[in-house]
PDB file of all heavy atoms in Angstrom:
ATOM      1  N   ALA F 318       9.008 -19.166  13.655  1.00 32.00           N
ATOM      2  CA  ALA F 318      10.282 -19.174  12.762  1.00 32.00           C
ATOM      3  C   ALA F 318      11.112 -20.518  13.275  1.00 32.00           C
ATOM      4  O   ALA F 318      11.522 -21.276  12.438  1.00 32.00           O
ATOM      5  CB  ALA F 318      11.070 -17.937  12.910  1.00 32.00           C
ATOM      6  N   ARG F 319      11.323 -20.587  14.624  1.00 31.00           N
ATOM      7  CA  ARG F 319      12.170 -21.714  14.985  1.00 31.00           C
ATOM      8  C   ARG F 319      11.907 -21.850  16.472  1.00 31.00           C
ATOM      9  O   ARG F 319      11.623 -20.802  17.217  1.00 31.00           O
ATOM     10  CB  ARG F 319      13.660 -21.574  14.662  1.00 31.00           C
ATOM     11  CG  ARG F 319      14.191 -20.358  15.134  1.00 31.00           C
ATOM     12  CD  ARG F 319      15.698 -20.228  14.720  1.00 31.00           C
ATOM     13  NE  ARG F 319      16.391 -18.971  15.093  1.00 31.00           N
ATOM     14  CZ  ARG F 319      16.331 -17.989  14.338  1.00 31.00           C
ATOM     15  NH1 ARG F 319      15.734 -18.046  13.098  1.00 31.00           N
ATOM     16  NH2 ARG F 319      16.983 -16.905  14.598  1.00 31.00           N
ATOM     17  N   LEU F 320      12.166 -22.960  16.997  1.00 35.00           N
ATOM     18  CA  LEU F 320      11.929 -23.125  18.494  1.00 35.00           C
ATOM     19  C   LEU F 320      13.337 -23.457  19.075  1.00 35.00           C
ATOM     20  O   LEU F 320      14.225 -24.077  18.554  1.00 35.00           O
ATOM     21  CB  LEU F 320      11.088 -24.332  18.713  1.00 35.00           C
ATOM     22  CG  LEU F 320       9.696 -24.293  18.097  1.00 35.00           C
ATOM     23  CD1 LEU F 320       8.987 -25.637  18.339  1.00 35.00           C
ATOM     24  CD2 LEU F 320       8.917 -23.141  18.868  1.00 35.00           C
ATOM     25  N   ASN F 321      13.531 -22.892  20.237  1.00 39.00           N
ATOM     26  CA  ASN F 321      14.798 -23.125  21.076  1.00 39.00           C
ATOM     27  C   ASN F 321      14.436 -23.420  22.470  1.00 39.00           C
ATOM     28  O   ASN F 321      13.396 -23.081  22.981  1.00 39.00           O
ATOM     29  CB  ASN F 321      15.680 -21.805  21.078  1.00 39.00           C
ATOM     30  CG  ASN F 321      16.052 -21.480  19.620  1.00 39.00           C
ATOM     31  OD1 ASN F 321      16.891 -21.970  18.945  1.00 39.00           O
ATOM     32  ND2 ASN F 321      15.307 -20.407  19.135  1.00 39.00           N
ATOM     33  N   LEU F 322      15.219 -24.216  23.165  1.00 37.00           N
ATOM     34  CA  LEU F 322      14.949 -24.357  24.615  1.00 37.00           C
ATOM     35  C   LEU F 322      15.148 -23.126  25.261  1.00 37.00           C
ATOM     36  O   LEU F 322      16.298 -22.487  25.301  1.00 37.00           O
ATOM     37  CB  LEU F 322      16.091 -25.552  25.135  1.00 37.00           C
ATOM     38  CG  LEU F 322      15.880 -26.964  24.665  1.00 37.00           C
ATOM     39  CD1 LEU F 322      16.890 -27.777  25.151  1.00 37.00           C
ATOM     40  CD2 LEU F 322      14.457 -27.441  25.122  1.00 37.00           C
ATOM     41  N   PRO F 323      14.077 -22.663  26.011  1.00 41.00           N
ATOM     42  CA  PRO F 323      14.176 -21.479  26.743  1.00 41.00           C
ATOM     43  C   PRO F 323      14.884 -21.646  28.164  1.00 41.00           C
ATOM     44  O   PRO F 323      15.030 -22.732  28.582  1.00 41.00           O
ATOM     45  CB  PRO F 323      12.725 -21.042  26.895  1.00 41.00           C
ATOM     46  CG  PRO F 323      12.004 -22.350  26.877  1.00 41.00           C
ATOM     47  CD  PRO F 323      12.835 -23.272  26.013  1.00 41.00           C
ATOM     48  N   PHE F 324      15.258 -20.412  28.647  1.00 44.00           N
ATOM     49  CA  PHE F 324      15.901 -20.368  29.966  1.00 44.00           C
ATOM     50  C   PHE F 324      15.310 -19.064  30.558  1.00 44.00           C
ATOM     51  O   PHE F 324      15.544 -17.977  30.093  1.00 44.00           O
ATOM     52  CB  PHE F 324      17.334 -20.458  29.868  1.00 44.00           C
ATOM     53  CG  PHE F 324      18.058 -20.249  31.232  1.00 44.00           C
ATOM     54  CD1 PHE F 324      18.111 -21.408  32.066  1.00 44.00           C
ATOM     55  CD2 PHE F 324      18.445 -19.185  31.685  1.00 44.00           C
ATOM     56  CE1 PHE F 324      18.695 -21.257  33.323  1.00 44.00           C
ATOM     57  CE2 PHE F 324      19.028 -18.905  32.902  1.00 44.00           C
ATOM     58  CZ  PHE F 324      19.140 -20.084  33.714  1.00 44.00           C
ATOM     59  N   ALA F 325      14.850 -19.145  31.835  1.00 49.00           N
ATOM     60  CA  ALA F 325      14.439 -17.938  32.591  1.00 49.00           C
ATOM     61  C   ALA F 325      14.383 -18.316  34.022  1.00 49.00           C
ATOM     62  O   ALA F 325      14.441 -19.334  34.480  1.00 49.00           O
ATOM     63  CB  ALA F 325      13.028 -17.615  32.027  1.00 49.00           C
ATOM     64  N   ASP F 326      14.424 -17.163  34.815  1.00 61.00           N
ATOM     65  CA  ASP F 326      14.519 -17.408  36.255  1.00 61.00           C
ATOM     66  C   ASP F 326      13.100 -17.195  36.750  1.00 61.00           C
ATOM     67  O   ASP F 326      12.800 -17.335  38.052  1.00 61.00           O
ATOM     68  CB  ASP F 326      15.436 -16.436  36.940  1.00 61.00           C
ATOM     69  CG  ASP F 326      15.221 -14.977  36.605  1.00 61.00           C
ATOM     70  OD1 ASP F 326      14.258 -14.654  35.884  1.00 61.00           O
ATOM     71  OD2 ASP F 326      15.995 -14.046  37.187  1.00 61.00           O
ATOM     72  N   GLU F 327      12.193 -16.757  36.003  1.00 75.00           N
ATOM     73  CA  GLU F 327      10.714 -16.630  36.524  1.00 75.00           C
ATOM     74  C   GLU F 327       9.868 -16.793  35.374  1.00 75.00           C
ATOM     75  O   GLU F 327      10.178 -16.498  34.252  1.00 75.00           O
ATOM     76  CB  GLU F 327      10.608 -15.315  37.198  1.00 75.00           C
ATOM     77  CG  GLU F 327      10.804 -14.037  36.303  1.00 75.00           C
ATOM     78  CD  GLU F 327      10.600 -12.746  37.130  1.00 75.00           C
ATOM     79  OE1 GLU F 327      10.241 -12.841  38.247  1.00 75.00           O
ATOM     80  OE2 GLU F 327      10.771 -11.820  36.468  1.00 75.00           O
ATOM     81  N   ALA F 328       8.647 -17.171  35.538  1.00 86.00           N
ATOM     82  CA  ALA F 328       7.662 -17.444  34.478  1.00 86.00           C
ATOM     83  C   ALA F 328       6.205 -17.410  35.044  1.00 86.00           C
ATOM     84  O   ALA F 328       5.750 -18.406  35.626  1.00 86.00           O
ATOM     85  CB  ALA F 328       7.837 -18.734  33.875  1.00 86.00           C
ATOM     86  N   PRO F 329       5.739 -16.126  35.262  1.00 92.00           N
ATOM     87  CA  PRO F 329       4.382 -15.837  35.691  1.00 92.00           C
ATOM     88  C   PRO F 329       3.384 -16.736  35.018  1.00 92.00           C
ATOM     89  O   PRO F 329       3.445 -16.942  33.918  1.00 92.00           O
ATOM     90  CB  PRO F 329       4.244 -14.443  35.851  1.00 92.00           C
ATOM     91  CG  PRO F 329       5.054 -14.057  34.720  1.00 92.00           C
ATOM     92  CD  PRO F 329       6.257 -15.016  34.650  1.00 92.00           C
ATOM     93  N   ASP F 330       2.204 -17.054  35.702  1.00 93.00           N
ATOM     94  CA  ASP F 330       1.126 -17.774  34.921  1.00 93.00           C
ATOM     95  C   ASP F 330       0.150 -16.761  34.366  1.00 93.00           C
ATOM     96  O   ASP F 330      -0.735 -17.105  33.672  1.00 93.00           O
ATOM     97  CB  ASP F 330       0.551 -18.857  35.833  1.00 93.00           C
ATOM     98  CG  ASP F 330      -0.143 -18.233  37.004  1.00 93.00           C
ATOM     99  OD1 ASP F 330      -0.057 -17.081  37.395  1.00 93.00           O
ATOM    100  OD2 ASP F 330      -0.992 -19.094  37.649  1.00 93.00           O
TER     101      ASP F 330
END
Side-chain angles (χ1 to χ4, degrees):
R319 56 181 174 271
L320 301 176
N321 301 280
L322 288 177
F324 175 82
D326 60 357
E327 59 179 1
D330 65 348

